[in-house]
Amino acid sequence: MLHKEGLMALQAASAHHAVLDAIATTPSAVPARIRAAQSLPTHPVKHLLRPSVALLLSASSVRWQRRRLKKSPGVHACKDAATMERPLFDRLVVSGVKALEAAELSRVKAASEVPSESNGGWSGEPREWAEAGPVAKAKQFIADTLAGSYDRDAIGALIDNKIVSSKIMMFSFSTCPFCLKAKRILQDDYGESVEIYECDLEPDGYAVRAELGKRTGRTSMPSTWLGPDLLLGGCNDGGLGGVATLDREGKLSSLLAERNNAMGGNFSPFDWLASFGRPDPKEMIRLKRAVCTACADAPKNGVEASEEVKQKVESAAASLTSLCPANPARMPLTGVWDLLYCTAPGGSSGKLGPFVGDVTQTFVDEVRFVNAVELGPLRIALEAERAVIDDYKIQVTFKEMAICFVGSELFRMPAKGQGVWQQRYVDDNLRVMNTPSLFVLRKRRI
């Protein structure tokens, strides 16, 4: 998931490290490894790393590494990991590569594609970043560099054991937006328990990522498996198409059911006793997905939705309301909630003239919250407070409105108005309410 421009910088920063790895291997492997490193493009990227500096580092690193090898028998195994211990200079080089990689990962979201007819419904990271080709090969090279020397048999066994023993196995990066989206779909929309291995938090994580790249042809995270013979893929690509793609095409549910049957099901009489008298969790998940699907069929935020779509959303919301947890008005709401759909006209729906912005509701605590509309560099925020009236109703009082442009506040003014909001369904990731207009909001996974 690395930006093309950033990949060039990473390749330049990593080229001399491949030479170090070459020298650390058998003499017969040195020429080929060095030629591979020298064949990488040395594209000059402003403010990052010039090729001349990279080549100078490479030459000095080679001389230093040769002197080190004369005095040392080689690398040593870590006590608790299959990855080999690296010399100090190598670790410094890799730290620089990691820093560049982290900087590029932060740019992924901004470069992500939105589904459209022109790109065949693709969403997430740009297609050329994920598919096989020069970019994928460069990403594999970076993954190998970050992993360093490792015991391939041990890492392979670790991967195999986790995949075989888990109904759903996901190799992930803890802060990757595509990993978070795939987790939300499986855990929140399908109610599945997912075994997760965070490659950026585990001692062997970078080696696992590199080995997965060699197996599947892609180093992008996540890598989601339903057993050793069924790779779902990432979020939007790889394997059978990716978690989000399979969900959108209606194929994910049957795949999960088949895996559950292969694992012998998960029925337990103790689970049945614990859930006695409570709504069926599978039915609740099905109804929540029906609401979200109906909202997705509407235009952005429900603006100018047809009567047919409005009826579809209302019908799905009514079915879910019957399974509402107790005391919805008293449920904790702290966090950021994204608007999926509403029937309110004007600014509440994010409509500003001919444009429709992104609408969020952020609860600072259980009393104070901010309704915000973001449209490009413009942000309009309405600060408010809530007070619980009873188990199903809250009273909202608006306090101040602030208008910001490119992150700078232009002005702030007092706001007037209040209202009573009827809570129809509230849990830890989905809300349905009437203000009296219908609103559907989903909690953002950070």
Side-chain angles (χ1 to χ4, degrees):
M1 298 182 295
L2 300 177
H3 193 277
K4 283 185 176 179
E5 184 183 74
L7 279 173
M8 293 298 186
L10 288 174
Q11 291 167 8
S14 303
H16 77 283
H17 186 75
V19 177
L20 297 184
D21 283 346
I23 296 172
T25 58
T26 59
S28 60
V30 172
R33 297 286 296 277
I34 292 179
R35 285 196 299 272
Q38 291 173 338
S39 66
L40 287 171
T42 54
H43 186 279
V45 179
K46 294 182 179 180
H47 313 302
L48 288 176
L49 186 65
R50 294 181 179 276
S52 58
V53 177
L55 292 174
L56 180 60
L57 284 173
S58 299
S60 61
S61 300
V62 168
R63 290 193 296 270
W64 178 87
Q65 187 81 340
R66 283 172 176 165
R67 290 196 300 268
R68 184 185 68 82
L69 288 174
K70 290 180 180 179
K71 300 177 182 180
S72 172
V75 295
H76 305 279
C78 296
K79 292 181 180 179
D80 301 318
T83 306
M84 304 301 180
E85 182 182 355
R86 310 178 75 150
L88 177 61
F89 186 78
D90 283 21
R91 293 200 295 270
L92 292 175
V93 171
V94 173
S95 295
V97 175
K98 287 183 179 180
L100 287 173
E101 183 185 44
E104 287 304 308
L105 285 173
S106 68
R107 301 170 63 182
V108 167
K109 189 173 182 180
S112 297
E113 295 186 26
V114 176
S116 65
E117 292 183 4
S118 61
N119 66 9
W122 184 274
S123 66
E125 62 176 330
R127 188 188 299 270
E128 63 268 22
W129 296 5
E131 294 181 340
V135 175
K137 291 179 181 178
K139 290 170 69 176
Q140 181 66 55
F141 175 81
I142 294 169
D144 291 340
T145 299
L146 293 174
S149 300
Y150 63 89
D151 185 336
R152 290 197 63 183
D153 291 337
I155 295 299
L158 183 155
I159 294 172
D160 292 338
N161 290 338
K162 289 189 172 295
I163 292 175
V164 170
S165 62
S166 306
K167 175 184 174 183
I168 306 173
M169 183 65 219
M170 180 185 292
F171 299 93
S172 162
F173 264 46
S174 61
T175 58
C176 167
F178 305 111
C179 297
L180 296 174
K181 180 179 179 180
K183 292 171 190 174
R184 179 181 58 76
I185 291 173
L186 290 168
Q187 295 174 332
D188 296 346
D189 298 349
Y190 287 85
E192 295 290 352
S193 177
V194 183
E195 181 69 23
I196 298 171
Y197 182 94
E198 302 290 9
C199 292
D200 57 330
L201 303 180
E202 297 289 341
D204 289 327
Y206 283 100
V208 167
R209 179 193 183 192
E211 191 64 22
L212 284 169
K214 292 182 176 71
R215 290 189 180 193
T216 66
R218 59 187 306 278
T219 59
S220 297
M221 295 284 112
S223 182
T224 310
W225 300 73
L226 299 185
D229 301 321
L230 189 57
L231 171 62
L232 294 183
C235 183
N236 306 292
D237 60 86
L240 295 181
V243 173
T245 302
L246 293 168
D247 174 53
R248 186 169 59 250
E249 295 175 350
K251 301 176 181 178
L252 185 56
S253 181
S254 59
L255 291 170
L256 294 173
E258 290 176 9
R259 178 60 175 166
N260 188 59
N261 292 334
M263 296 289 286
N266 56 3
F267 173 77
S268 168
F270 298 103
D271 293 339
W272 182 84
L273 289 173
S275 63
F276 182 76
R278 299 179 182 177
D280 180 4
K282 292 292 184 181
E283 178 65 9
M284 187 178 294
I285 290 169
R286 186 187 69 80
L287 293 176
K288 287 172 62 177
R289 291 185 60 231
V291 170
C292 294
T293 299
C295 293
D297 290 339
K300 183 174 182 177
N301 299 345
V303 174
E304 299 179 355
S306 66
E307 287 301 319
E308 181 182 357
V309 170
K310 289 180 180 179
Q311 292 176 4
K312 182 179 179 181
V313 176
E314 174 57 39
S315 176
S319 298
L320 182 61
T321 299
S322 64
L323 298 180
C324 179
N327 310 323
R330 304 181 190 278
M331 292 282 285
L333 299 176
T334 303
V336 180
W337 298 76
D338 293 302
L339 177 66
L340 298 183
Y341 173 90
C342 79
T343 58
S348 295
S349 64
K351 184 172 174 58
L352 300 174
F355 306 104
V356 180
D358 298 321
V359 179
T360 58
Q361 189 173 82
T362 303
F363 277 82
V364 181
D365 52 39
E366 294 308 317
V367 175
R368 298 173 297 154
F369 66 94
V370 179
N371 291 339
V373 178
E374 295 187 21
L375 187 61
L378 180 66
R379 184 176 189 269
I380 303 174
L382 186 61
E383 299 176 5
E385 294 182 355
R386 77 162 186 163
V388 176
I389 298 176
D390 58 30
D391 290 344
Y392 290 89
K393 296 177 182 178
I394 61 173
Q395 179 169 307
V396 174
T397 303
F398 299 106
K399 298 294 185 179
E400 288 187 311
M401 182 177 71
I403 298 181
C404 302
F405 187 78
V406 196
S408 299
E409 186 174 303
L410 300 180
F411 62 87
R412 176 180 292 267
M413 63 176 65
K416 298 180 180 179
Q418 60 181 17
V420 175
W421 295 356
Q422 178 82 19
Q423 308 301 296
R424 297 176 59 178
Y425 181 91
V426 181
D427 65 14
D428 59 358
N429 59 68
L430 190 69
R431 294 163 55 205
V432 179
M433 63 182 181
N434 287 117
T435 68
S437 300
L438 174 62
F439 279 77
V440 180
L441 302 101
R442 181 163 58 194
K443 192 169 186 178
R444 182 180 298 177
R445 297 298 174 183
I446 305 300

